[in-house]
Amino acid sequence: MQKTRQGIVVSDKAEKTITVRIDVARRHRRYQKVVRTSTTLHAHDEHNDAHVGDTVVVRESRPLSRTKRWRLVQVVERAR
């Protein structure tokens, strides 16, 4: 089963590639404080659909290049 993640596009400068920021908020085990972290990943965008600020869903795939291991599934919300 492939993982899916939802995130925000932070860069679309490369051809057929987007950089997506995944924000995670989870509670600290001991102190119960909400700790926010983010990860960035590169995703394959075949038709250059997504642009900076868009909310997108990406799915894990086979390695497509040195850094790309994800594919764009859909654009959930366009940036205003």
Side-chain angles (χ1 to χ4, degrees):
M1 184 72 193
Q2 296 154 329
K3 297 174 192 167
T4 59
R5 298 279 182 267
Q6 184 169 325
I8 296 164
V9 178
V10 291
S11 173
D12 63 349
K13 290 187 190 324
E15 187 69 23
K16 295 188 178 184
T17 303
I18 53 172
T19 305
V20 182
R21 187 184 74 229
I22 311 280
D23 295 319
V24 181
R26 54 171 86 85
R27 210 165 268 289
H28 191 281
R29 280 198 206 129
R30 174 173 289 175
Y31 302 115
Q32 301 302 311
K33 180 180 160 75
V34 174
V35 180
R36 295 176 194 281
T37 60
S38 67
T39 344
T40 58
L41 48 89
H42 297 281
H44 184 67
D45 180 6
E46 183 64 42
H47 305 292
N48 291 315
D49 286 340
H51 302 290
V52 175
D54 293 353
T55 304
V56 295
V57 174
V58 291
R59 177 175 288 134
E60 203 175 32
S61 72
R62 66 183 175 82
L64 298 162
S65 77
R66 187 165 64 97
T67 55
K68 284 201 287 191
R69 267 88 179 127
W70 298 80
R71 266 181 214 278
L72 175 68
V73 177
Q74 74 177 63
V75 178
V76 178
E77 188 181 350
R78 298 270 178 204
R80 292 188 183 82

